[in-house]
Structures are given as C-alpha cells and as structure tokens.
Amino acid sequence: MRPFPNQRLFEWQEGYGAFSIAVSGVEDTIRYIQSQEEHHRVHSFKEELIAFLDKHGIEYKEWMLD
C-alpha cells in the first residue's frame, strides 16, 4: 500500500543541496532576493549555481544540476 495514494506521480529526487548564510550576509541576501527576477534575466539559476560551486571549490557532476 502506498502511504500517499493521491501522490502517484511523486518521486524523491536523487540528491539535494542546502546552503546557509551568516548573520553578516543577511542584508546582501535580502537585496539578492528582492532583485532576483531581474538578475535571472541576465544569469540563469544554473549558471549562477555553477559559479557559486566553482567559487567555493565544491565538486559536482553535471547530472546533479538538472
């Protein structure tokens, strides 16, 4: 028996990502969120994520970004 019969199309993803910010980064984060729509007209989320991961030396596989 499925625990959630109304969610037949639901599947867990293969991985996840979690990021945190320091208190000192709150104002920058608020500004980013407020201008996010405009920002993503120039840079896609995927491009930005790759830049972030590369900047911080976080290893990833291309399939993880889809």
Side-chain angles (χ1 to χ4, degrees):
M1 180 174 143
R2 293 181 67 113
F4 302 103
N6 295 334
Q7 302 297 322
R8 294 174 198 258
L9 300 177
F10 176 82
E11 293 181 342
W12 289 105
Q13 63 192 36
E14 293 216 13
Y16 63 91
F19 303 94
S20 64
I21 59 167
V23 172
S24 62
V26 170
E27 292 300 320
D28 287 339
T29 302
I30 290 170
R31 275 193 298 280
Y32 169 78
I33 291 168
Q34 290 172 337
S35 66
Q36 192 171 17
E37 185 176 342
E38 181 180 329
H39 176 82
H40 285 292
R41 287 187 198 130
V42 178
H43 305 282
S44 72
F45 174 76
K46 185 174 180 178
E47 291 170 332
E48 189 168 17
L49 178 59
I50 289 169
F52 177 87
L53 295 171
D54 290 343
K55 177 181 178 181
H56 296 284
I58 300 171
E59 295 181 18
Y60 61 91
K61 304 283 188 218
E62 186 67 29
W63 65 265
M64 295 174 171
L65 305 174
D66 292 329

